Amino acid sequence: MSVKTQLLKLLENSREAYISGSALASELSVSRNAIWKAVESLRADGYEISATTNKGYRLSARGDLISEASIAAHIKNEGVFRFDIRKSVTSTNTLLRELAVKGAPEGTVVVAEEQTAGKGRMGRAFHSPAGHGVYFSVLLRPGPKTNEAALITAAAAVATARAIEEVFGVRVGIKWVNDLYLDEKKVCGILTNATFDMENSLMESAVLGIGVNVTTPEHGYPEGIEAVAAAITDRLIGKNGERCRLIAATLDSFWGFYNELSARRFLDEYRARSILLGRDIYVLSQEGKQPARALEIDDECRLVVRFDNGEVAAIGSGEVSIRART
Ligand code: BTN
């Protein structure tokens, strides 16, 4: 971990309290001059760090900056991820796909403060305003490890749900296949774009994109999604680098699942968090919507349903909606 990252961690852990330059220098086993340089570099990233002659340095409690140093300060899987932090992009999935084509390694993560053309499933848009959410994509190159995109998405759903609970203390449910819900409203969407080798049909690479609505935008959500979208919290964020902690916790948890994906260690929790099981739903397809009951999630993360005509089927992709209780 760089001096800058370690310094940020120390300052974040004692927000609002001053720590002297010499205490920081001895804690990190570097010179006071090295501390000063790291402080300047953090300031250049946008961190507000005040310096007082007798007291030392203090990180302002305001602001919830997304920075590499802050994410790295919370990541437990050191050396696995390479971060590319952007202020504004069209879509982190699109940008990461371009980087993948140029040879970016597995573990490359693109994080954006804002997306101007965030992508959702089924060609939908994902509303991604600055300062209110986290939007990031991870490059995976599973090679012969697996060919199962559905497991990657399901593992990511559980990892993100756990991270939300760890950072915000809020329990979210999973709406098959990849949406996280809080009180019947969507707070997170996940989109995995995979490319396959035509020769052997194995997955060459996958871009796993995760978007979380952290706080409600000042003017609410745009027409069309306002009835279905919500945020994790209504309170102002900013203390303790919550968004960076959320990204770090999600990546760490996901990485644990991904490294032994076929063991499906996420599956029991995926099932336990499901908001669909036992409920009446509609299965949406090009032919229209068919009423059914959601029975179970099978080992391939397919949704097993019984249609109202009695036919039982395991659905591997597509979309369902919850039927209103009558
Ligand atoms: C959905 O709701 O259908 C999936 C939404 C996925 C949104 C995330 S935000 C980061 C990444 N970049 C995108 O353009 N989309 C995903």
Side-chain angles (χ1 to χ4, degrees):
M1 214 186 278
S2 68
V3 174
K4 181 176 162 186
T5 302
Q6 292 181 70
L7 175 64
L8 184 64
K9 199 170 185 175
L10 289 177
L11 293 173
E12 278 193 328
N13 285 343
S14 58
R15 282 230 186 190
E16 293 291 273
Y18 280 96
I19 317 181
S20 73
S22 53
L24 290 167
S26 94
E27 179 76 30
L28 301 184
S29 308
V30 295
S31 66
R32 290 181 64 172
N33 192 40
I35 295 292
W36 172 247
K37 279 190 186 153
V39 165
E40 284 299 288
S41 173
L42 286 170
R43 282 177 172 156
D45 284 350
Y47 285 97
E48 280 180 45
I49 298 173
S50 39
T52 306
T53 315
N54 295 325
K55 294 183 188 164
Y57 301 102
R58 182 179 74 168
L59 181 64
S60 160
R62 280 181 297 127
D64 185 36
L65 212 66
I66 292 188
S67 71
E68 178 172 357
S70 182
I71 299 171
H74 297 290
I75 280 275
K76 295 191 183 88
N77 284 282
E78 273 182 48
V80 169
F81 302 106
R82 286 171 29 154
F83 292 97
D84 183 340
I85 316 282
R86 308 284 178 117
K87 278 243 166 329
S88 181
V89 298
T90 51
S91 152
T92 55
N93 270 30
T94 305
L95 176 58
L96 189 53
R97 169 60 50 221
E98 286 163 17
L99 298 178
V101 169
K102 290 182 193 150
E106 176 163 85
T108 304
V109 181
V110 174
V111 186
E113 182 64 57
E114 155 190 77
Q115 296 186 117
T116 54
K119 289 181 176 173
R121 291 176 70 235
M122 314 277 174
R124 287 187 296 250
F126 188 81
H127 186 56
S128 317
H132 295 277
V134 296
Y135 321 108
F136 63 103
S137 303
V138 195
L139 180 60
L140 307 169
R141 294 191 182 276
K145 262 193 270 176
T146 179
N147 202 16
E148 294 157 321
L151 299 189
I152 290 179
T153 306
V158 175
T160 313
R162 278 190 182 183
I164 289 171
E165 208 159 320
E166 182 184 322
V167 177
F168 293 98
V170 168
R171 185 170 171 88
V172 292
I174 299 174
K175 176 175 170 283
W176 183 88
V177 52
N178 60 356
D179 290 339
L180 299 188
Y181 268 58
L182 178 63
D183 301 332
E184 306 273 314
K185 287 199 166 182
K186 175 169 165 174
V187 293
C188 165
I190 297 170
L191 176 68
T192 308
N193 296 124
T195 51
F196 292 89
D197 184 330
M198 299 287 277
E199 297 286 318
N200 54 21
S201 335
L202 281 177
M203 195 189 301
E204 256 177 6
S205 68
V207 169
L208 166 67
I210 300 175
V212 183
N213 304 331
V214 177
T215 55
T216 314
E218 289 85 2
H219 304 296
Y221 290 97
E223 230 181 286
I225 61 165
E226 64 193 342
V228 288
I232 299 295
T233 174
D234 271 339
R235 68 180 165 77
L236 282 177
I237 49 170
K239 277 202 152 187
N240 309 324
E242 285 139 318
R243 288 188 301 162
C244 292
R245 282 166 55 209
L246 182 61
I247 294 168
T250 304
L251 289 172
D252 275 331
S253 178
F254 173 74
W255 203 248
F257 294 143
Y258 173 67
N259 277 316
E260 33 175 0
L261 202 61
S262 52
R264 294 164 169 72
R265 285 198 301 103
F266 54 86
L267 195 53
D268 284 346
E269 190 168 334
Y270 186 92
R271 290 173 173 139
R273 285 185 186 268
S274 171
I275 62 167
L276 291 185
L277 300 186
R279 291 181 74 174
D280 290 329
I281 59 171
Y282 287 113
V283 176
L284 311 176
S285 66
Q286 279 175 341
E287 290 83 55
K289 52 184 196 179
Q290 290 174 277
R293 168 150 303 191
L295 300 179
E296 61 168 311
I297 307 283
D298 73 9
D299 288 352
E300 305 312 315
C301 288
R302 293 175 303 191
L303 181 66
V304 180
V305 301
R306 185 176 49 242
F307 290 104
D308 282 8
N309 65 6
E311 185 198 333
V312 173
I315 306 168
S317 62
E319 187 94 309
V320 298
S321 68
I322 297 171
R323 273 196 266 172
R325 293 179 217 265
T326 49

